[in-house]
Amino acid sequence: TMKPISTLSFLIALSVATPGMAAWQRLPSVSKRPVEMAVATMNGTKLVSSSGVGQAQSLLSDNPLDSSTLGSGNAEAVIDAGRQTIFEVASFTNDDTEGKVSISASADNSNWIAVGQAVYSAADRSVSVNFAGIQAKYIKVQWELSKGGSIRNFQLFGSETDADFAISQNASGTGG
């Protein structure tokens, strides 16, 4: 049993406790979010060329369900970001392709620097190539596939964040 003095001390301590003492500590939240740069609506991003990629324009779609088909063998696509920017990650959702993807970067679309690659199987659903940040205007994606299929939700991320952009609409309230 508790002694009467300790019970009284506990009750006094409990009554003087301020509500602030019991509050949860607020953890800092993410103030900036990365922005996907491989979207046709961003800064004039466009597909410069492609070979072996069916529905290649889907690489620049912001709809994660739009897919591009890749047959077995070699395929490539070159994306123009519209301006110099820093890239760090390329990723896509894999639907049955198997092989290797390589990422290269260029400032002028003629001198290419290999920045990263990934080997993956048909069972790998999400494929990501992380590399040291590189400033470039053009990104080349090359596939060497032993098994064809399709890919969706191709994305490029780098140093751009949502804080770097302002959202605006036209007079009709549509568009961005």
Side-chain angles (χ1 to χ4, degrees), residues 112-152:
W112 293 93
I113 297 170
V115 294
Q117 66 181 10
V119 176
Y120 61 96
S121 73
D124 294 324
R125 192 78 169 122
S126 179
V127 178
S128 183
V129 181
N130 299 318
F131 44 92
I134 187 161
Q135 184 171 350
K137 183 177 179 191
Y138 299 92
I139 296 292
K140 183 189 295 184
V141 186
Q142 297 173 296
W143 289 272
E144 296 175 34
L145 301 177
S146 58
K147 181 181 178 195
S150 63
I151 63 166
R152 295 180 292 108

Side-chain angles (χ1 to χ4, degrees), residues 24-91:
W24 288 93
Q25 291 239 336
R26 186 174 203 95
L27 296 174
S29 62
V30 177
S31 60
K32 296 180 188 176
R33 297 178 197 270
V35 173
E36 182 194 352
M37 299 306 296
V39 177
T41 57
M42 293 291 291
N43 301 320
T45 300
K46 62 186 175 199
L47 188 65
V48 174
S49 65
S50 68
S51 65
V53 182
Q55 301 88 25
Q57 198 60 37
S58 293
L59 294 172
L60 301 183
S61 175
D62 57 357
N63 183 345
L65 300 178
D66 290 345
S67 65
S68 296
T69 56
L70 302 168
S72 60
N74 296 332
E76 84 173 33
V78 176
I79 298 168
D80 177 351
R83 63 184 171 83
Q84 294 283 332
T85 190
I86 295 175
F87 294 100
E88 299 171 338
V89 177
S91 66

